[in-house]
Amino acid sequence: MKSLTKFLSAILLCTFIISCSNSGNEISDNIKKEDAISKTELDKVCWMIGTWENKENGVTTTENWRNVDKKTLIGVSFSILKNDTISFESISIQEIDSKLYYIPLVKGQNDNKPVKFELQSSTEKQVVFVNLKHDFPQKITYNKITKDSLYAEIQGKIQGKERTIGFPLKRKK
């Protein structure tokens, strides 16, 4: 009788262990599925994370991006000439309702309110954000040249004339 009890206890213990390990696999599978699902829009721009810089004609332009959570990158962009900040903007790239938006906020512009540019297209090496209702720019493009260089570009019409301004940047950090 003691042998039968030990045998049944051993079977129950094995069943419990197998059940727990299978349950762990299901949890692991669910996490993997969640990760696959969460790898959505924001992953298209994660290559931008880091500090980028360009020095040209005495002006140092810096852009810094960091990840906040699964749906948000935040950044700042500023240019300095002889210890004076000549431009500054805070930026976020956010996934909202399954769409990705580039949202800059520039003090003194747009009534000090952020402006949304919606992701129009993306590849592994390029993202394009558009807001045709904005005065300038209407289009913001980031091109990944190498892992340590990118080219940002703003485009749009100013007084009816098409204008493009480019920002070549090298990774600093």
Side-chain angles (χ1 to χ4, degrees):
M1 187 73 154
K2 285 185 179 180
S3 311
L4 182 60
T5 304
K6 285 182 181 179
F7 176 73
L8 289 174
S9 295
I11 289 176
L12 283 173
L13 181 61
C14 288
T15 304
F16 177 75
I17 290 170
I18 290 169
S19 171
C20 286
S21 70
N22 284 342
S23 173
N25 287 341
E26 287 171 16
I27 291 169
S28 176
D29 289 344
N30 287 339
I31 290 170
K32 288 176 190 172
K33 286 177 190 170
E34 238 178 69
D35 286 345
I37 291 168
S38 70
K39 288 186 179 184
T40 58
E41 298 300 309
L42 196 64
D43 289 334
K44 295 175 180 178
V45 295
C46 282
W47 51 267
M48 293 169 51
I49 294 171
T51 301
W52 304 85
E53 186 176 80
N54 181 31
K55 293 182 180 186
E56 217 173 349
N57 301 323
V59 176
T60 300
T61 300
T62 303
E63 220 172 269
N64 184 297
W65 289 97
R66 68 183 177 89
N67 186 258
V68 176
D69 56 38
K70 289 182 178 183
K71 294 189 176 204
T72 308
L73 291 185
I74 60 169
V76 294
S77 178
F78 55 92
S79 296
I80 296 174
L81 173 66
K82 295 182 183 179
N83 298 328
D84 288 328
T85 302
I86 57 175
S87 70
F88 181 88
E89 66 183 306
S90 57
I91 314 160
S92 66
I93 297 179
Q94 295 180 358
E95 184 179 332
I96 303 168
D97 297 329
S98 299
K99 292 181 181 180
L100 201 61
Y101 294 91
Y102 181 96
I103 308 170
L105 174 61
V106 182
K107 188 175 179 180
Q109 292 183 12
N110 306 303
D111 296 323
N112 293 318
K113 294 179 182 171
V115 178
K116 285 184 182 177
F117 291 79
E118 186 176 343
L119 180 68
Q120 180 183 50
S121 65
S122 66
T123 66
E124 288 181 12
K125 294 186 176 192
Q126 183 186 67
V127 288
V128 179
F129 297 91
V130 175
N131 179 339
L132 298 178
K133 294 179 182 177
H134 189 252
D135 56 359
F136 183 84
Q138 288 93 38
K139 184 176 179 182
I140 300 168
T141 305
Y142 281 84
N143 293 289
K144 179 181 177 182
I145 308 303
T146 68
K147 70 179 183 101
D148 292 324
S149 67
L150 63 83
Y151 188 78
E153 188 174 79
I154 58 174
Q155 295 175 293
K157 289 185 179 182
I158 298 178
Q159 298 176 344
K161 293 183 181 181
E162 193 67 33
R163 181 145 184 221
T164 301
I165 302 171
F167 305 91
L169 298 162
K170 298 281 182 193
R171 186 180 297 278
K172 187 174 176 186
K173 290 183 190 178

